[in-house]
Amino acid sequence: MEVGISEVPHRIELLATYKSSDVSGDCESVAFLGKDKFVAGYENGLEVIAKSASGPYQGRFRAKLSGDVEALARHPDALIIALCAEEETMTVKYFTYPELEFVRDACSFWRSGNSFSHLAVTKKRQMVITDEANNQLRVFDLNGKALFTIPISGSLPSYSSVLCLPDGTITVSQCLETGSVQRMRLFESSAEVLWTCGGLQTPTGMCVNDAGLIFVGSETQKAIYMVSPSGRLKQAKD
């Protein structure tokens, strides 16, 4: 299903418009913090973007980093989780909020070339990270302990994504020319695939609404796909 640009929330343009002058490079990740506040990740660090008392949004540069911030998530204990690409290593770092002061490195793993990764945090306090180099998902607890991996059939290219749904399950997009979205239930040491929705062109980032509909962006097409909670690709007439 294609969605007109007028239907896309205006907030997606805020990061490009209101970022501070201290930020270098493109915005590579963002997490919504509530009450018109975002944390954004760039090639050189993190910043908070919030609505000012006078009305406009303003960016405030807070944390300088040596690597690209490829993904962000909220930690249930009021921390910010940043997945950073540093040379040949992907590292998960914890920061306080709103100060964005560095707390510690939680875990790390080897990355191949310019591989891109994404992460999500489940209700069971598990971090799920895409590992493109090895065509798998890596699952850690929030202390950084490696729990298990989930092999992905075929390949897991750059810009594949993972999303945690309100019921604790996850969805994974496989950003291929003819790709798919899978929904999985995670256990303590394994995962179960609930359904696969195929036939999507280069599916990438995802979000979910209150009705459980999953919206999936396309890396190459001017389209946003809408997938039902049961895994059916919905059409405009639906």
Side-chain angles (χ1 to χ4, degrees):
M1 175 181 180
E2 292 196 1
V3 177
I5 190 65
S6 62
E7 300 176 59
V8 177
H10 72 279
R11 284 195 176 99
I12 62 174
E13 298 181 3
L14 291 176
L15 298 175
T17 305
Y18 298 107
K19 70 181 183 180
S20 67
S21 59
D22 295 320
V23 170
S24 69
D26 297 330
C27 174
E28 301 194 355
S29 52
V30 60
F32 182 57
L33 302 174
K35 295 183 179 179
D36 294 317
K37 292 183 179 180
F38 303 81
V39 59
Y42 299 89
E43 294 178 11
N44 67 331
L46 300 173
E47 75 169 348
V48 171
I49 295 178
K51 198 167 187 178
S52 65
S54 60
Y57 283 80
Q58 294 180 348
R60 184 173 298 177
F61 191 71
R62 296 289 183 88
K64 187 172 183 179
L65 299 171
S66 59
D68 297 352
V69 182
E70 295 195 349
L72 291 165
R74 297 179 65 178
H75 190 291
D77 297 333
L79 298 174
I80 298 297
I81 304 173
L83 180 63
C84 303
E86 300 173 314
E87 295 182 354
E88 295 184 350
T89 303
M90 298 298 300
T91 304
V92 174
K93 298 177 179 290
Y94 288 168
F95 296 84
T96 61
Y97 174 77
E99 298 85 2
L100 292 185
E101 294 179 353
F102 176 70
V103 178
R104 67 181 178 90
D105 289 344
C107 57
S108 63
F109 58 92
W110 175 78
R111 72 189 289 249
S112 173
N114 294 321
S115 60
F116 183 89
S117 293
H118 193 262
L119 71 85
V121 177
T122 74
K123 283 188 172 182
K124 294 182 178 180
R125 300 174 66 89
Q126 295 170 319
M127 284 188 294
V128 184
I129 303 175
T130 60
D131 179 3
E132 170 196 339
N134 296 295
N135 298 325
Q136 64 182 5
L137 302 178
R138 291 177 178 265
V139 183
F140 299 84
D141 66 19
L142 290 183
N143 292 320
K145 178 183 177 182
L147 299 177
F148 58 96
T149 59
I150 305 170
I152 301 297
S153 178
S155 63
L156 192 66
S158 288
Y159 305 110
S160 297
S161 183
V162 60
L163 172 71
C164 182
L165 302 181
D167 66 354
T169 60
I170 65 169
T171 54
V172 182
S173 66
Q174 205 167 0
C175 190
L176 298 167
E177 184 174 347
T178 303
S180 65
V181 170
Q182 286 189 331
R183 188 171 187 172
M184 303 180 183
R185 178 178 289 113
L186 301 187
F187 302 100
E188 291 186 4
S189 59
S190 63
E192 173 190 12
V193 176
L194 302 177
W195 51 251
T196 299
C197 179
L200 283 64
Q201 291 184 281
T202 58
T204 179
M206 300 172 288
C207 65
V208 63
N209 69 8
D210 292 339
L213 294 174
I214 301 161
F215 296 87
V216 186
S218 170
E219 176 67 15
T220 58
Q221 304 298 309
K222 294 181 179 179
I224 297 175
Y225 298 105
M226 186 165 61
V227 181
S228 74
S230 61
R232 185 171 68 90
L233 182 61
K234 297 178 73 66
Q235 305 298 323
K237 63 182 180 180
D238 295 337

